Amino acid sequence: MNTERVISHIVGWLKDYCTTNRRSGFVIGLSGGIDSAVTSALCARTGLPTLCIELPIHQAPSHVARAHVHVKALEAEFSNVRMERVDLTPTFLTMASALPRTADDATVQLSLANTRARLRMTALYHVAGLHGYLVAGTGNKVEDFGVGFFTKDGDGGVDLSPIADLTKTEVYTLGKAMGVVQSIMIAKPTDGLFGDDRSDEDQIGASYPELEWAMDLRDRGVDITPLDLSERQRKVLAIFDARRVANRHKMDPIPVCLVPSELKG
């Protein structure tokens, strides 16, 4: 990958899309992770106003600290970058206390985790609306088009996706080239939605490089038999296939029921 040319291409694409659609800048929700760090660094390079929003909901202090260090580094390099904080913890607690919990504990916790992501999306669009900005997505290719590891109408609710054609490995490559702070580069990927230290790999059951291997295999339509694979490869492929099937509804366009014209007459 020609890293500098990829960065230049994405930055140009961001700027063109924003100006063509008569928006004046970008809003990015910061998590303290590599995806939001790279997305905000790319937006900053457009020269357009780039507003980084911290949206804590019982957020781990380490995540918050990494996000702050990252933004300070961006602010030192780009005058168009600034940061705001919107504490959603009280709102989440109020909403969580009002919602029904008629399911097993694991299902309830997953539903509440998705509720966190949707509250953040709502806040990002509120801020974007105040300024005439676009909400920049932070999903990478494996999450958005491989296993659907995102919240529908949560972190999946965005105006444009600058890194959705990049694998996680490629996102790290861009992060290194753009000087993303080391604390983010070495942090284990996590969605931070459960209030504990579980990583993305803990939730999915496979690492991003493993999922990238599986996605490449499936997308190229490679004809393989179980005997061609190691036990671990078979397990990773099964994880990938199961998640892709289960989350297809997130990755496909919203289905529209087309009513035949003769029924409307």
Side-chain angles (χ1 to χ4, degrees), residues 73-125:
L74 283 184
E75 288 175 331
E77 187 175 358
F78 302 100
S79 61
N80 55 310
V81 174
R82 64 188 181 92
M83 184 175 186
E84 290 186 6
R85 184 175 190 268
V86 180
D87 188 356
L88 294 173
T89 301
T91 303
F92 172 74
L93 290 175
T94 299
M95 190 169 185
S97 67
L99 292 172
R101 303 197 178 201
T102 54
D104 62 273
D105 187 61
T107 301
V108 170
Q109 292 306 310
L110 177 59
S111 183
L112 288 175
N114 286 324
T115 298
R116 291 189 188 204
R118 292 179 179 121
L119 280 176
R120 287 171 175 154
M121 178 275 293
T122 301
L124 288 174
Y125 270 99

Side-chain angles (χ1 to χ4, degrees), residues 44 46 87 104 177 184 231 243:
T46 65
D87 188 356
D104 62 273
I184 289 178
E231 182 179 351
R243 282 190 171 266

